[in-house]
Amino acid sequence: TASFSFISAQTPRMAASQPLPTSSATPAALLAHLSAALSAPNWYLHPSLPHLPVLLAPSLPQMPDVPLPVRLAAATARAAAPSRHLLSLSLPILFRLHSLSPSPLRPLFDRSFGSLLTHLSRFALTPLILRLFAHMHLHSPPAPTGVTYNILIRSLCRRADLPRALRYLSLMVLSGWHPDAYTFNSLIVGYSRTHQTDAARDLFDKMPLRGFPRDVVSYAAMIEGLCETGRIDEALDLFTKMELSDMHTYAVLVKGLCKAGRGEEALQMLQRMKKLGWRPSTCAYAAVIDLWCREQRVVEAEEMLEEMSDKGLVPSVVTCTAVVNRYCKEGRMSDAVRVFETMKLRWCKPNVWTYNALVWGFCKEGKVHNAMALLNRMRAHGVEPDVVTYNLLIRAQCVYGHIENAFRLLRLMEGDGLAADIYTYNALVDALCKNGRIDQACSLFDSLEGRGIKPNLVTFNSLIGGLCKCDQVDVAWSLLEKMVSAGCTPDTYTYSPFIEYLCKMKGSQEGLSFIDEMLKKSVKLTTINYTIVIDKLFKERNYGLATKIWGQMVSLGCNPDAVTYTTSMRAYCNEGRLIEAKNVVSEMNRSAVTVDTIAYNTLMDGHASIGQTDCAVSILKHMKNVASMPNQFTYLILLRHLVQRRLAEGVPLYVAGLWKTTRLTDIFELFEIMKKNDIIPNTDTYSAILERFSEDGRSKEVTSLVSRMKDDNLSLNEDIYTALVMCLCKSRQYSDAWALLHSMIGCGFVPQLMSYQHLLCGLISEGQAHMAEEIFGNCRWEDYNPDEIVWKVIIDGLIRNGHSDICRDMVSKLEQRNCRPSNQTYAMLAEELSTRG
């Protein structure tokens, strides 16, 4: 009692060295101040303590008759309520206040502890709830009550920590508290979230027998459990038995229906929510959006996203990223970027997964410069690229032949403190092998062990394939033995290079012998292995044996694929047996094998070779899907036969020189034949032809075709602009090339850095260095990654073409535009300058 009076009535002396906190101090600062005050030896003399309750909780009723520690506890609990962070700060303060208070005051902490417990439960801060429970249990009063136990059990059940929840249930009973409806509802949640749906249903059914009426919470918990385990029809049946339902139950059903792929029913449930006057939750919308994305209904998914925003809901970054990712997968990058840009307007900050989706999409479309530019944007918005980001970029640089840039990216990645993994090195090894740089590939492979990276199946296969193509079969065989001894099991791609080499160098019989050896060793063969030998047999015109091996392949469960079918189709076309070739296409359709561009091109070539040009052109009508879109080779086939028909009989026509021999009249004749077959030349048609003319620098023909495009009301796309710029550079028409680049930018396209490289190097070579520097200084380099500008334009362009004298000025101009390259790039630049200086 003496202590009680002392703490409540003592007027502390002012300490000049410790100023009182003011009303402008933040709750976090006030709690930190209180914590520091309580840790002092003579805490009860601290001058700020009487003022803190009002500062911490101005809305709390004044309680002058209540002891100061209790008032401080109540104010602390009230101040901490809005925030997870504040709650974690407040817990040790309440423990300290409770421990410092004399025994008669401790029961008065029941309201503060209860209030804090409610707030901790609201934020699902189970570890803090456990700490509070333990303190109350060990330092009572106040001791845990039935409500305390229920909150703890509910929190553990929500975390799917059912075993611990059941232990506390036993402790609750031993402490003299009886489970109630709240307890049953919590356990239904716990059993449901641990996928023990039958146990949850048993509890649900027993509730009325125990005298506990089932309420909305009971039904919602049970319905959620049924949905989570895929028992959606049972959930819907239970839903019909509810007298009253709430918004949460509807949201659970929407999510469950979406998970079961029943989107239309989910949409109907969503509409019912709206009719009842409820605003569907973010969770419900997110489930439908995710389903629409999975079902490739991305436009509807975006419309749903817009509806969310219109209703004042903030979509999560996961939901927005799903829409961005779906657009990227469909190749609709402008739509993906549009959604990405609007994310920030919805207060939804893109994360690394969002950026990675865009990087993947741009790389897939061959727009590596756009993907590279995202590195800058990520950092500018506080998002650091991860290993996935770099691996996507490195692989894309490798695929499109920019191996040096891939290695530069590796240095940049390591400079960012990220460790390259096996996927990184697989891309580099594979690119070096395909580029014929087998010695470098082997050297990189040998260095992996020192880097702590274990080669996998893909690594071995890439190197074995590269060695076989370079006729180093003995080395490849040794590598195969090393692969097996390392515990890496060979697959079909491992053996295919050996079969291909044997067929190429020694004929089909050697390939067949190798396959027989594989069968004796119980190696599982695949369609790919057989197709290599079948192709060689067809080329050797050994049709009987080819048919026999085909049958053997099918009997072993290896179904022919598009490549296998195309192999036989090519053989029939070479023999002029076009009916059989068409039958192959029919067989592919019956077997649900996609007839791809190569297959159609093969059939087209067969018709054109015997003068059936109209039939060849009509095949274009069947090339509709992504897998069979016309490409440069499609038009090359048609033009080759048109040109051959124009040339004198007996004049040889080689593919390599076809585009040099082709005239505009041949192109226009092809267009007329296409129109006669109801095929209108489109932008893709012009693009395929313009790119080839541009490669040969035939600027007059290119200009005429562009004029023809305009007459046909067709717009230039990014690829055509790029081809035109390259063509003008090859023709040394640099002023026209710059004007075209400027026009391209005006149309919203981002020129490739190679275009700038050719333009600037060309101008400097022509003695127009001043114009080159002026163009460089006025370009929109903000749209690119500064590192790649230096790599492609300055290092690979200016320095390696002998123009290192002006590269320093170019780098200075970049820096002035706030396009500062990384330290790793400066180091690369210094190395190149010292090497070539």
Side-chain angles (χ1 to χ4, degrees):
T1 307
S3 298
F4 181 102
S5 303
F6 178 80
I7 294 172
S8 60
Q10 176 73 25
T11 303
R13 294 187 299 274
M14 180 68 69
S17 60
Q18 296 177 342
L20 291 175
T22 64
S23 58
S24 61
T26 63
L30 290 170
L31 289 172
H33 179 86
L34 176 56
S35 179
L38 293 175
S39 63
N42 296 324
W43 63 273
Y44 47 84
L45 296 177
H46 201 285
S48 65
L49 292 184
H51 305 279
L52 282 174
V54 175
L55 292 175
L56 281 166
S59 62
L60 196 69
Q62 298 298 313
M63 300 175 287
D65 296 331
V66 176
L68 180 59
V70 179
R71 279 188 282 139
L72 284 169
T76 298
R78 177 73 64 90
S83 162
R84 288 171 174 266
H85 175 63
L86 294 178
L87 285 167
S88 63
L89 290 177
S90 68
L91 196 61
I93 293 173
L94 258 71
F95 291 167
R96 179 74 174 159
L97 284 166
H98 184 255
S99 300
L100 290 172
S101 298
S103 298
L105 291 186
R106 292 187 179 181
L108 300 178
F109 278 77
D110 58 342
R111 288 191 177 183
S112 299
F113 281 162
S115 173
L116 195 65
L117 198 60
T118 302
H119 300 319
L120 292 172
S121 175
R122 181 162 56 91
F123 284 102
L125 297 172
T126 306
L128 299 186
I129 294 173
L130 285 165
R131 285 178 60 191
L132 180 54
F133 180 90
H135 182 89
M136 293 173 69
H137 187 68
L138 294 172
H139 304 287
S140 61
T145 64
V147 173
T148 313
Y149 278 105
N150 270 337
I151 289 175
L152 179 56
I153 291 168
R154 170 65 62 88
S155 181
L156 290 167
C157 286
R158 282 176 175 168
R159 285 167 62 99
D161 192 351
L162 187 61
R164 193 185 292 187
L166 292 173
R167 286 200 297 272
Y168 278 103
L169 175 62
S170 298
L171 186 60
M172 176 183 182
V173 174
L174 288 173
S175 300
W177 300 100
H178 297 291
D180 56 13
Y182 190 98
T183 321
F184 269 81
N185 288 344
S186 299
L187 293 173
I188 291 169
V189 170
Y191 280 114
S192 295
R193 294 197 175 179
T194 53
H195 303 295
Q196 299 179 60
T197 314
D198 291 332
R201 187 61 190 260
D202 184 57
L203 274 179
F204 179 83
D205 292 338
K206 286 179 179 176
M207 284 183 72
L209 303 177
R210 300 286 180 90
F212 303 130
R214 293 180 296 215
D215 57 12
V216 173
V217 178
S218 316
Y219 277 95
M222 193 64 246
I223 287 170
E224 185 172 7
L226 291 167
C227 288
E228 284 296 318
T229 51
R231 294 157 67 171
I232 189 67
D233 289 323
E234 289 180 60
L236 289 169
D237 180 60
L238 195 59
F239 177 69
T240 61
K241 296 174 182 176
M242 291 181 70
E243 293 181 9
L244 292 173
S245 55
D246 65 348
M247 187 170 64
H248 175 69
T249 313
Y250 274 94
V252 165
L253 283 169
V254 169
K255 186 178 177 182
L257 286 164
C258 288
K259 186 179 178 182
R262 294 159 67 167
E264 293 304 327
E265 292 175 75
L267 202 58
Q268 290 171 14
M269 193 68 69
L270 208 64
Q271 298 303 327
R272 284 175 65 182
M273 290 178 74
K274 295 176 191 175
K275 287 180 181 178
L276 289 169
W278 290 327
R279 183 180 71 173
S281 65
T282 303
C283 176
Y285 274 115
V288 178
I289 290 169
D290 180 66
L291 178 65
W292 284 173
C293 289
R294 285 188 280 117
E295 292 188 348
Q296 302 178 31
R297 297 167 63 176
V298 65
V299 174
E300 293 165 83
E302 189 183 356
E303 288 172 355
M304 193 71 72
L305 203 60
E306 294 292 340
E307 185 179 313
M308 280 185 74
S309 297
D310 292 343
K311 291 185 179 295
L313 293 171
V314 180
S316 71
V317 65
V318 175
T319 303
C320 292
T321 300
V323 178
V324 171
N325 189 47
R326 185 68 252 169
Y327 273 130
C328 290
K329 286 185 175 180
E330 294 184 7
R332 298 168 61 175
M333 293 309 299
S334 59
D335 291 315
V337 171
R338 176 175 47 74
V339 175
F340 172 80
E341 294 295 345
T342 57
M343 283 177 70
K344 288 172 282 187
L345 300 177
R346 296 187 176 111
W347 302 99
C348 178
K349 182 182 176 182
N351 63 12
V352 69
W353 294 103
T354 321
Y355 280 99
N356 285 348
L358 286 174
V359 167
W360 180 86
F362 279 125
C363 291
K364 178 173 168 281
E365 295 295 304
K367 297 177 181 178
V368 187
H369 58 296
N370 293 103
M372 284 291 298
L374 287 169
L375 274 178
N376 264 15
R377 293 192 64 180
M378 290 176 77
R379 292 193 177 97
H381 291 93
V383 180
E384 288 299 317
D386 61 7
V387 174
V388 175
T389 318
Y390 277 107
N391 280 348
L392 288 169
L393 292 169
I394 287 171
R395 180 166 292 280
Q397 294 282 9
C398 289
V399 167
Y400 293 100
H402 306 142
I403 301 177
E404 298 306 320
N405 280 350
F407 277 99
R408 289 163 181 159
L409 269 169
L410 177 62
R411 287 183 63 175
L412 208 63
M413 178 182 182
E414 292 169 342
D416 279 351
L418 297 171
D421 56 21
I422 189 60
Y423 299 101
T424 319
Y425 287 105
N426 280 348
L428 294 167
V429 169
D430 185 62
L432 290 169
C433 289
K434 287 178 178 174
N435 201 246
R437 296 159 63 174
I438 194 66
D439 291 339
Q440 286 177 264
C442 289
S443 177
L444 185 60
F445 177 86
D446 293 338
S447 73
L448 292 181
E449 186 177 350
R451 300 173 194 267
I453 295 174
K454 184 180 178 180
N456 62 12
L457 181 63
V458 176
T459 328
F460 280 109
N461 285 352
S462 294
L463 199 55
I464 287 171
L467 288 165
C468 288
K469 283 181 180 177
C470 292
D471 296 335
Q472 298 185 40
V473 181
D474 292 340
V475 181
W477 194 258
S478 298
L479 187 63
L480 175 61
E481 292 174 350
K482 181 179 179 180
M483 174 183 176
V484 174
S485 64
C488 196
T489 306
D491 68 355
T492 179
Y493 295 100
T494 314
Y495 292 110
S496 290
F498 293 106
I499 299 171
E500 195 168 355
Y501 174 82
L502 291 170
C503 286
K504 176 185 173 183
M505 303 302 295
K506 300 182 180 181
S508 58
Q509 290 302 323
E510 289 294 329
L512 284 171
S513 298
F514 191 88
I515 283 180
D516 289 338
E517 287 296 318
M518 289 173 70
L519 287 170
K520 288 176 184 177
K521 293 177 180 178
S522 300
V523 175
K524 187 177 180 180
L525 294 167
T526 67
T527 303
I528 295 170
N529 304 134
Y530 277 108
T531 298
I532 295 167
V533 178
I534 289 169
D535 181 52
K536 186 63 178 178
L537 286 167
F538 277 130
K539 286 175 180 176
E540 292 172 350
R541 298 192 175 185
N542 194 342
Y543 300 114
L545 187 54
T547 303
K548 180 181 176 182
I549 299 301
W550 187 300
Q552 179 182 320
M553 174 183 74
V554 174
S555 68
L556 290 174
C558 303
N559 295 320
D561 59 14
V563 179
T564 321
Y565 280 113
T566 303
T567 295
S568 64
M569 189 190 303
R570 187 180 297 111
Y572 287 130
C573 287
N574 290 339
E575 293 285 321
R577 297 159 61 183
L578 295 179
I579 294 176
E580 287 95 328
K582 286 182 178 178
N583 288 339
V584 172
V585 174
S586 300
E587 178 60 29
M588 290 175 75
N589 288 325
R590 281 194 298 272
S591 302
V593 176
T594 301
V595 186
D596 60 14
T597 300
I598 298 173
Y600 278 121
N601 284 350
T602 301
L603 189 59
M604 193 179 291
D605 192 33
H607 281 288
S609 63
I610 59 173
Q612 296 180 2
T613 309
D614 284 335
C615 291
V617 170
S618 68
I619 293 173
L620 284 171
K621 289 182 180 179
H622 301 284
M623 302 176 74
K624 296 175 182 177
N625 59 46
V626 176
S628 58
M629 292 293 289
N631 58 16
Q632 288 186 4
F633 297 102
T634 310
Y635 299 105
L636 182 146
I637 288 166
L638 296 169
L639 285 169
R640 186 178 72 211
H641 293 289
L642 288 174
V643 173
Q644 185 69 71
R645 193 169 63 186
R646 172 171 55 78
L647 294 175
E649 191 173 342
V651 175
L653 177 63
Y654 301 104
V655 173
L658 173 65
W659 292 99
K660 295 184 184 297
T661 312
T662 302
R663 300 173 182 171
L664 274 177
T665 52
D666 299 319
I667 303 294
F668 296 148
E669 183 182 356
L670 172 62
F671 287 173
E672 290 305 314
I673 295 172
M674 288 173 66
K675 289 177 180 177
K676 190 172 72 173
N677 286 277
D678 299 322
I679 304 169
I680 306 300
N682 57 22
T683 302
D684 292 334
T685 312
Y686 278 99
S687 181
I689 295 168
L690 280 167
E691 283 183 42
R692 297 308 295 262
F693 272 145
S694 297
E695 287 172 10
D696 287 333
R698 298 178 63 180
S699 57
K700 290 183 180 179
E701 287 83 353
V702 165
T703 304
S704 296
L705 279 173
V706 170
S707 298
R708 178 73 175 258
M709 276 189 75
K710 292 178 179 177
D711 292 340
D712 290 343
N713 294 317
L714 295 173
S715 301
L716 303 184
N717 61 21
E718 187 175 333
D719 293 333
I720 292 176
Y721 268 115
T722 301
L724 294 177
V725 170
M726 299 295 279
C727 179
L728 291 170
C729 286
K730 284 186 177 181
S731 304
R732 299 183 178 181
Q733 300 176 48
Y734 300 114
S735 296
D736 292 337
W738 169 236
L740 193 62
L741 266 178
H742 201 266
S743 173
M744 180 180 183
I745 295 167
C747 291
F749 298 116
V750 179
Q752 293 185 15
L753 288 170
M754 292 298 291
S755 299
Y756 283 110
Q757 184 194 107
H758 285 281
L759 173 61
L760 297 173
C761 290
L763 285 169
I764 295 169
S765 298
E766 293 286 313
Q768 300 184 57
H770 179 72
M771 184 179 177
E773 289 192 64
E774 185 179 343
I775 289 173
F776 189 90
N778 293 328
C779 285
R780 287 176 48 88
W781 296 124
E782 295 82 2
D783 294 330
Y784 301 88
N785 180 279
D787 297 295
E788 199 179 23
I789 297 167
V790 174
W791 302 342
K792 284 189 177 176
V793 178
I794 296 177
I795 294 179
D796 291 342
L798 301 175
I799 295 177
R800 295 189 181 179
N801 281 282
H803 308 308
S804 56
D805 52 326
I806 67 167
C807 76
R808 289 184 178 87
D809 293 335
M810 300 254 181
V811 174
S812 296
K813 284 183 169 63
L814 276 179
E815 292 170 341
Q816 291 165 13
R817 301 286 295 275
N818 292 321
C819 292
R820 188 179 180 85
S822 65
N823 292 333
Q824 290 80 14
T825 295
Y826 279 113
M828 296 175 205
L829 188 58
E831 287 173 17
E832 288 289 338
L833 287 170
S834 62
T835 303
R836 298 173 189 276

